[in-house]
Amino acid sequence: MDVEELMKYCNNLIDFLKDEKDIVGLQHFLRHSKALQSQCDKDFDEVQLTIEDYEKKIEVCRQKESAAESECIADVELDLLEKELEKRQKLERMLREELRVTVNGIDDLELQRASLEEQMQTLKKSEQDELRSEMKLSMHASVTNIIPNLDDLSKISGHIVVREKKVVDNFEFDPAKHSTFDACNGIWKMIKL
């Protein structure tokens, strides 16, 4: 992946995660997914119990069929038992399909939950990084009396605040015209004045 594309992606992700509405939305979605997960688990358990019940009934039917064959039951009764068995097998297939769909839904919800947790961790880390950056900037401003302008990164600019004299001096250097060293020396000269 190209580094510039990666940086754009990271910046877009940070902007996205900074929006408090998105955080609330993600939290709401997470709560909703947990409720849905719980409901799906409940439905899964009910379907599983129903399948087990029908499997027992099918087994009973098979036993009845075996007993009927051994006692030479009339053909009419045997046909009825076979039809009942076919109905129950069809119902079992339908229930198994429903179970498969439910399990797939649970798997999808689990993936969404994992994705949400990862997004929440990323958001928390970016908030911590932002707070750390703000604290560093505040410490830098307190020590040097320089407040940089971070809105326009194409130039080196900001304000020098001299509290004793109640003076605020603006500075601006074009990186194309001045080296970093010259810009730094220029700022220190402004501070000493």
Side-chain angles (χ1 to χ4, degrees):
M1 191 173 207
D2 186 19
V3 174
E4 288 182 22
E5 287 180 23
L6 184 60
M7 290 300 293
K8 286 179 185 176
Y9 175 75
C10 290
N11 289 337
N12 288 341
L13 183 60
I14 288 170
D15 291 342
F16 172 76
L17 293 175
K18 282 183 181 177
D19 189 3
E20 189 169 315
K21 291 179 184 176
D22 292 335
I23 295 170
V24 171
L26 288 174
Q27 290 172 342
H28 175 71
F29 184 77
L30 183 60
R31 286 191 301 271
H32 180 69
S33 70
K34 286 181 181 177
L36 191 55
Q37 173 75 30
S38 174
Q39 184 62 39
C40 287
D41 288 343
K42 181 181 174 187
D43 291 345
F44 174 82
D45 291 339
E46 289 176 3
V47 169
Q48 189 68 30
L49 288 174
T50 305
I51 288 173
E52 290 173 6
D53 185 46
Y54 278 110
E55 286 176 345
K56 289 176 185 175
K57 288 180 181 179
I58 288 170
E59 186 58 37
V60 168
C61 285
R62 287 182 181 150
Q63 290 173 358
K64 285 181 182 179
E65 184 181 73
S66 296
E69 287 177 2
S70 66
E71 296 174 7
C72 298
I73 298 177
D75 288 340
V76 174
E77 292 179 28
L78 187 59
D79 287 342
L80 289 175
L81 287 174
E82 286 178 354
K83 287 179 182 178
E84 179 68 23
L85 179 62
E86 288 174 7
K87 285 180 187 177
R88 291 182 185 230
Q89 286 175 339
K90 183 178 179 180
L91 180 60
E92 179 184 7
R93 283 190 297 272
M94 288 173 35
L95 289 173
R96 287 197 182 277
E97 181 61 24
E98 284 182 28
L99 177 63
R100 186 188 62 76
V101 169
T102 302
V103 167
N104 288 342
I106 290 170
D107 290 344
D108 289 344
L109 286 173
E110 184 63 29
L111 288 173
Q112 290 176 0
R113 182 191 61 77
S115 174
L116 281 174
E117 286 177 358
E118 184 178 314
Q119 289 177 359
M120 292 298 286
Q121 288 174 352
T122 303
L123 175 64
K124 188 175 181 179
K125 183 173 182 344
S126 74
E127 286 174 352
Q128 289 173 346
D129 289 346
E130 184 177 342
L131 180 62
R132 190 174 294 121
S133 295
E134 286 176 7
M135 292 172 68
K136 284 180 182 180
L137 184 60
S138 177
M139 182 185 71
H140 177 73
S142 295
V143 171
T144 63
N145 294 330
I146 297 174
I147 302 173
N149 182 3
L150 301 176
D151 295 333
D152 186 4
L153 298 177
S154 66
K155 58 186 175 182
I156 301 170
S157 63
H159 311 284
I160 299 173
V161 179
V162 182
R163 291 184 187 151
E164 297 83 28
K165 297 179 183 178
K166 295 182 182 179
V167 175
V168 176
D169 290 329
N170 294 329
F171 65 89
E172 183 175 313
F173 295 97
D174 186 0
K177 295 178 183 177
H178 298 90
S179 68
T180 306
F181 180 76
D182 291 338
C184 184
N185 280 339
I187 292 171
W188 282 114
K189 286 178 185 176
M190 291 175 77
I191 291 173
K192 290 179 182 179
L193 294 176

